[in-house]
Amino acid sequence: MDRRQFILSGIALGAASSLGIYGWNSSFDENSDNRDLVLSALLPALLYAALPEDTTMAVQVNRTKAAISDFMPYLAKRQQQELQQLFNLLANQVTQLALTGHLTAISELTMSQRWQLLANWRDSYLALLQQAYHGLRELLFAAYYGQPEHWQAINYTAPRYR
Amino acid sequence: MQHLDASQFITDQHFSADVVIIGSGAGGGIAAEQLSAAGFKVLLLEEGAYYTREQFKMEERWAYPNLYQEGAARKTKDQAIGILQGRTVGGSTTVNWTTSIRTPQQTLDYWQDQFGLNFVAENDLTAYFQLAEERLNIKQWSVAPNANNAKLQYGCEQLGWQYTVIKRNVTHCANLGYCGMGCPIDAKQSMLVSTIPAALKKGATLISRLSVRKLQWQDNQILRLEAVPVDEHFQPTASLKVTISAKHYIVAAGAIGSPALLLRSKVPNPSGRLGKHTYLHPTVISGAVFAEDINGHAGAPQSIYSDQFVWPTDSKQPGYKLEVPPIHPVLMASKLIGVGDQHAQLMKSFNQLQVTIALIRDGFHPESQGGQVVLDQDQQPVLDYPITDYIWQGMRQALLSMAELQFAAGAKQILPIHHDAKLYQNWPEAKAAIEQLSMTALRQTVVSAHVMGGCNMSATADKGVVNANGRHHQLTNLSVFDGSILPTSLGANPQLTIYALVWKNCQQLIKELSHELQPV
Ligand SMILES: Cc1cc2nc3c(=O)[nH]c(=O)nc-3n(C[C@H](O)[C@H](O)[C@H](O)COP(=O)(O)OP(=O)(O)OC[C@H]3O[C@@H](n4cnc5c(N)ncnc54)[C@H](O)[C@@H]3O)c2cc1C
């Protein structure tokens, strides 16, 4: 077990035991439900004021989630596992206490609680949470602004060359 | 002309050749042409795919996963430095920004002093710079700089700072600005359109989507290499095995890939320097908002640089080179700071953003000894690059210089790319704020597109991995011909240095091989 895994399971186990729950296992398993749940909670916060406010918002969030799933397999396997572990932890209610300081599931947080959560990670004394902040931020913004549908808002047009 | 795509192989394969070259970037491309022109049977291996201009899409969402290592999301071990490196036929030259600069004399002098490398007489690089410049049509860019570069020039003029118009390796360049996504009109004279097609015409064989895993060696000789195809996401597979035997082996997998291959192969390493002293030109970024449109996505990405601060007289200060990067939506969105409203507002200024970068010249000071390539659980490389206080202090200085320059060039506001920074309205305000920024990993954004070192050359075996001609100090039929042989960073963009050094080393190798490989 490397240091990172150790810290993550340490946090998770600490949270689990403080809640009287045992047998929790930090998981690398790919669980697309967990990824979906976490992205559904974080994308609207991260992309607030960029996402359209009308009915197409859900479409854009889904598209961005799809772009993230398409991109992830190109990352080093090690990075993929770390991200997956992060998604699994964040989606798992038991770990909310330690990681987020909130008992509420990530999907039930208000928008400003989500921003607070992101800011807490950014300013955490744990390098691990800072890495989570920057890693997710880059992944999510890249997936969103990679899509031509989102270029109009920033007045960018790609040239025609052929 | 022969090209094989290893992902199409259905059974184990064995090949043999006179010379096998691992990696098809700056080093591998030059070597492939030189050695096939000299009549050797050459095999050129590349883990990326063979794309040509019709396939290049000027979209980052296509280019990054398909043309870059780790989807352009490669990071150092602590995630503090983002690293751009190519992973495709032509290597980083297929996606680079075409800036072509000869090795600074100060750097060569330092190498002579510290590593016993002597670039005079028959080792003088001048002739090889000229050959490479002719081969790749390297000429001063004669078109007016785009606004992003013009602001750098204007700021320098206002402050009386040095600047230079850049030489570029292009032919009939349409000034599109998409060099980083693969040139869609074959104007950029990368290895993909120059040396590699020439080598194939002369009988070389290219095998793409093949990841070399290990060199097998005994006594002082490499016996064969082992490789595997990659899957559609460029991950090495275990489906089948490819072995290759050759008389001579040239490792040119780039400054992370080459040390990784040699570490996996556990080759002799008496100097202890293999995979160590890896340099990055660690780079910090400063954004500036102008009243007028800058459109940093259009036009030659780099056409002006400033060397005002590269060689400071006070040797306690790290030097840094000022340049600009191309500005595209994904690159910008992932580097701009903040989330939510703050980020969205910054993105609205996308076309008005001017971006300056400062590349720190690392490797010339006891407190700047670079990073170390290590292998992860899958035997894939990770670069551990701790940033020292000496480097942080140079970065703060660089942020100050860039802010001063951008205000002098007429910026309305500037934004150092640091996670505690804000938009600053004038130079005194920016100066006071930058002096207070906490220069620590992850709070200060750091990037690199120049990976160097890890198999450094040295006159004697105790100070490096290869000799002055790129030949391995211990294994007699092994050469390393790429950016990994550089003993320090350069203080200049690396491609032309690599072209010239490898060209010279090939000429030497051809002479040596014609003696060593007498037909039996
Ligand atoms: C975005 C970007 C912009 C740049 N701009 C400039 C510029 O304007 N001017 C400049 O001078 N320099 C620039 N550079 C840097 C320059 O392109 C590199 O320094 C140079 O190409 C390095 O040459 P190399 O031979 O060491 O490695 P590379 O050119 O990176 O080639 C190495 C190749 O080896 C392959 N490989 C790695 N491991 C294996 C393996 N195990 N098996 C098979 N193949 C393998 C890789 O896929 C890659 O294709 C830029 C780089 C980037 C990424």
Side-chain angles (χ1 to χ4, degrees):
Chain A
M1 189 186 275
D2 68 16
R3 193 179 129 268
R4 161 185 302 264
Q5 249 172 287
F6 182 74
I7 296 172
L8 270 184
S9 22
I11 292 169
L13 289 173
S17 54
S18 69
L19 292 172
I21 300 163
Y22 298 95
W24 188 86
N25 230 323
S26 91
S27 168
F28 285 148
D29 293 349
E30 172 143 2
N31 179 327
S32 48
D33 289 347
N34 286 346
R35 180 173 64 211
D36 195 74
L37 190 133
V38 172
L39 292 178
S40 300
L42 290 183
L43 279 167
L46 212 79
L47 290 166
Y48 184 83
L51 279 169
E53 275 165 40
D54 56 21
T55 50
T56 63
M57 172 164 157
V59 178
Q60 299 312 329
V61 168
N62 281 334
R63 245 185 233 214
T64 307
K65 281 196 271 188
I68 292 166
S69 321
D70 289 348
F71 178 75
M72 277 183 55
Y74 292 93
L75 294 171
K77 285 258 158 69
R78 179 189 71 257
Q79 301 271 31
Q80 292 181 45
Q81 285 182 352
E82 287 173 5
L83 273 170
Q84 195 52 58
Q85 194 185 25
L86 188 67
F87 291 139
N88 292 350
L89 277 166
L90 291 175
N92 184 324
Q93 181 134 10
V94 173
T95 65
Q96 302 294 310
L97 181 67
L99 269 182
T100 67
H102 294 275
L103 256 173
T104 342
I106 194 165
S107 52
E108 284 155 24
L109 299 177
T110 66
M111 198 58 80
S112 51
Q113 283 173 322
R114 291 177 206 193
W115 287 323
Q116 193 53 52
L117 175 66
L118 288 164
N120 288 349
W121 294 350
R122 186 194 61 205
D123 300 335
S124 170
Y125 66 94
L126 286 175
L128 182 75
L129 290 185
Q130 294 178 36
Q131 290 167 352
Y133 171 79
H134 293 288
L136 287 173
R137 215 185 140 272
E138 285 196 16
L139 181 70
L140 271 52
F141 279 136
Y144 184 78
Y145 286 103
Q147 299 166 67
E149 292 81 1
H150 304 144
W151 292 345
Q152 206 187 340
I154 59 170
N155 280 314
Y156 166 73
T157 39
R160 305 181 65 84
Y161 58 99
R162 282 198 183 107
Chain B
M1 143 152 179
Q2 200 178 9
H3 164 238
L4 305 173
D5 175 346
S7 67
Q8 303 298 311
F9 293 165
I10 45 174
T11 54
D12 287 1
Q13 305 276 325
H14 179 78
F15 298 90
S16 59
D18 292 329
V19 180
V20 60
I21 303 171
I22 300 144
S24 66
I30 294 284
E33 178 172 36
Q34 295 298 310
L35 288 152
S36 25
F40 293 99
K41 185 179 171 207
V42 170
L43 262 177
L44 179 60
L45 314 180
E46 169 55 53
E47 69 184 355
Y50 190 18
Y51 293 114
T52 51
R53 68 169 188 202
E54 306 78 46
Q55 287 155 303
F56 291 139
K57 287 188 196 58
M58 290 156 82
E59 283 188 11
E60 294 168 285
R61 66 172 169 176
W62 182 84
Y64 296 159
N66 286 297
L67 305 179
Y68 284 72
Q69 293 288 358
E70 301 177 31
R74 183 168 256 185
K75 294 270 161 61
T76 50
K77 191 155 183 248
D78 65 357
Q79 321 263 335
I81 311 179
I83 298 175
L84 295 178
Q85 265 188 311
R87 188 217 45 231
T88 186
V89 171
S92 301
T93 76
T94 300
V95 294
N96 81 16
W97 302 337
T98 74
T99 294
S100 305
I101 307 173
R102 292 184 181 191
T103 323
Q105 189 56 45
Q106 295 95 319
T107 302
L108 295 175
D109 292 345
Y110 187 82
W111 293 353
Q112 169 163 18
D113 189 51
Q114 299 287 316
F115 299 91
L117 300 165
N118 208 340
F119 292 97
V120 295
E122 77 273 17
N123 288 324
D124 189 342
L125 289 175
T126 313
Y128 296 100
F129 287 133
Q130 282 163 357
L131 284 167
E133 284 160 357
E134 270 163 43
R135 177 69 184 91
L136 304 173
N137 203 40
I138 291 171
K139 293 204 175 98
Q140 182 169 314
W141 182 236
S142 57
V143 178
N146 72 359
N148 200 27
N149 283 277
K151 295 296 179 195
L152 171 59
Q153 174 174 346
Y154 184 63
C156 286
E157 283 167 354
Q158 291 301 302
L159 295 164
W161 292 357
Q162 189 281 342
Y163 71 87
T164 302
V165 178
I166 287 177
K167 294 195 170 101
R168 308 181 62 224
N169 54 322
V170 295
T171 305
H172 305 302
C173 172
N175 208 15
L176 295 170
Y178 287 70
C179 309
M181 299 174 214
C183 181
I185 55 171
D186 280 356
K188 173 164 60 181
Q189 298 301 294
S190 65
M191 299 301 99
L192 176 68
V193 307
S194 59
T195 55
I196 294 173
L200 297 183
K201 247 191 220 137
K202 293 191 177 105
T205 298
L206 166 68
I207 310 180
S208 66
R209 294 186 191 260
L210 183 71
S211 177
V212 179
R213 307 311 300 165
K214 210 170 178 177
L215 306 173
Q216 286 180 1
W217 58 276
Q218 202 174 26
D219 303 326
N220 59 356
Q221 290 271 317
I222 310 244
L223 304 175
R224 70 184 72 77
L225 66 76
E226 291 173 9
V228 298
V230 295
D231 67 15
E232 79 260 48
H233 300 111
F234 300 96
Q235 308 286 355
T237 62
S239 58
L240 55 86
K241 217 166 164 180
V242 177
T243 52
I244 295 172
S245 47
K247 293 166 186 155
H248 197 83
Y249 295 76
I250 295 177
V251 174
I256 289 181
S258 291
L261 172 59
L262 297 182
L263 287 168
R264 284 195 294 266
S265 311
K266 302 195 168 66
V267 302
N269 177 27
S271 71
R273 291 180 71 99
L274 175 61
K276 295 188 180 155
H277 305 282
T278 305
Y279 298 107
L280 290 174
H281 281 158
T283 297
V284 289
I285 311 169
S286 185
V289 185
F290 279 77
E292 69 269 30
D293 278 354
I294 300 292
N295 293 328
H297 47 85
Q302 298 187 317
S303 51
I304 303 288
Y305 67 74
S306 170
D307 274 356
Q308 181 69 24
F309 302 101
V310 188
W311 303 100
T313 42
D314 175 1
S315 64
K316 288 199 268 331
Q317 285 274 336
Y320 46 90
K321 189 176 187 81
L322 300 179
E323 297 183 346
V324 312
I327 306 176
H328 295 287
V330 170
L331 215 51
M332 212 55 249
S334 51
K335 293 305 165 210
L336 279 176
I337 61 171
V339 300
D341 207 36
Q342 185 193 10
H343 188 270
Q345 293 315 318
L346 288 170
M347 283 305 284
K348 293 221 166 84
S349 314
F350 181 72
N351 284 333
Q352 291 78 43
L353 272 177
Q354 193 275 344
V355 180
T356 303
I357 53 179
L359 299 79
I360 308 278
R361 179 173 53 77
D362 51 345
F364 294 78
H365 188 276
E367 274 186 61
S368 177
Q369 290 301 305
Q372 179 179 359
V373 174
V374 292
L375 299 173
D376 72 7
Q377 71 227 25
D378 305 308
Q379 297 287 298
Q380 292 291 72
V382 195
L383 177 64
D384 185 10
Y385 189 109
I387 303 177
T388 59
D389 285 344
Y390 167 84
I391 298 281
W392 284 128
Q393 179 235 336
M395 288 178 170
R396 186 193 304 280
Q397 212 49 51
L399 289 178
L400 288 167
S401 300
M402 293 192 286
E404 184 179 9
L405 175 108
Q406 288 167 316
F407 279 121
K412 283 198 310 181
Q413 297 166 308
I414 75 107
L415 177 72
I417 302 299
H418 180 295
H419 287 273
D420 296 332
K422 295 188 309 209
L423 282 166
Y424 303 116
Q425 311 298 323
N426 54 55
W427 167 226
E429 189 198 355
K431 184 165 186 283
I434 292 168
E435 276 164 359
Q436 295 306 313
L437 288 175
S438 118
M439 300 303 284
T440 47
L442 297 167
R443 296 211 88 77
Q444 171 60 55
T445 299
V446 184
V447 295
S448 167
H450 298 165
V451 195
M452 297 157 282
C455 300
N456 80 275
M457 51 181 165
S458 61
T460 54
D462 59 325
K463 276 216 143 179
V465 175
V466 299
N467 71 16
N469 296 322
R471 290 191 75 156
H472 195 260
H473 278 304
Q474 287 79 34
L475 298 177
T476 55
N477 60 346
L478 171 64
S479 297
V480 183
F481 280 4
D482 64 9
S484 68
I485 68 174
L486 306 178
T488 61
S489 79
L490 298 170
N493 306 42
Q495 68 171 345
L496 184 52
T497 296
I498 300 170
Y499 298 143
L501 271 176
V502 172
W503 198 310
K504 171 183 91 66
N505 291 348
C506 279
Q507 291 312 308
Q508 187 63 32
L509 180 67
I510 288 165
K511 266 191 244 155
E512 292 165 1
L513 286 185
S514 25
H515 295 295
E516 290 165 28
L517 305 181
Q518 291 299 340
V520 276

